[in-house]
Amino acid sequence: MGLLGYIVNFRIGPKSQNPKECILYFPGYDDDSKAAQLIGRKVAWPVGERTHRGKIVATHGRRGHVRARFRRGLPGHALGTQVEIVG
């Protein structure tokens, strides 16, 4: 079982929301230098049989959040649920 994190929000702008990019938080990665170690890792949602796959592409802010880009857009009920690092 890989490292578990949480989906905090979609990437949003003043007039649009991008369901393919999400903001993730992993407990224990509380600053941007630690979170930068996760860039390039693959993530999966939900933890189970049918998953949406994505990749961590950048940090987001200074509190250890990261941005992940998924192949397909995530549904709205994914917010607040767990993601797992799989690679």
Side-chain angles (χ1 to χ4, degrees):
M1 188 165 189
L3 181 65
L4 293 177
Y6 298 94
I7 298 176
V8 177
N9 204 352
F10 292 114
R11 184 176 183 193
I12 60 172
K15 294 183 179 180
S16 64
Q17 165 176 299
N18 187 355
K20 286 190 175 186
E21 288 198 23
C22 292
I23 311 293
L24 308 179
Y25 172 69
F26 291 92
Y29 290 83
D30 295 329
D31 60 357
D32 55 346
S33 60
K34 282 186 182 178
Q37 298 171 0
L38 297 174
I39 294 175
R41 306 284 301 270
K42 296 186 188 304
V43 293
W45 177 89
V47 181
E49 295 179 10
R50 297 183 65 200
T51 61
H52 290 255
R53 299 286 178 149
K55 185 177 181 180
I56 297 175
V57 293
T59 60
H60 184 82
R62 295 184 179 174
R63 294 188 179 178
H65 292 71
V66 291
R67 247 182 21 237
R69 186 173 297 133
F70 288 86
R71 293 178 187 167
R72 296 183 350 202
L74 295 181
H77 68 269
L79 296 179
T81 60
Q82 289 186 333
V83 292
E84 179 182 12
I85 290 187
V86 293

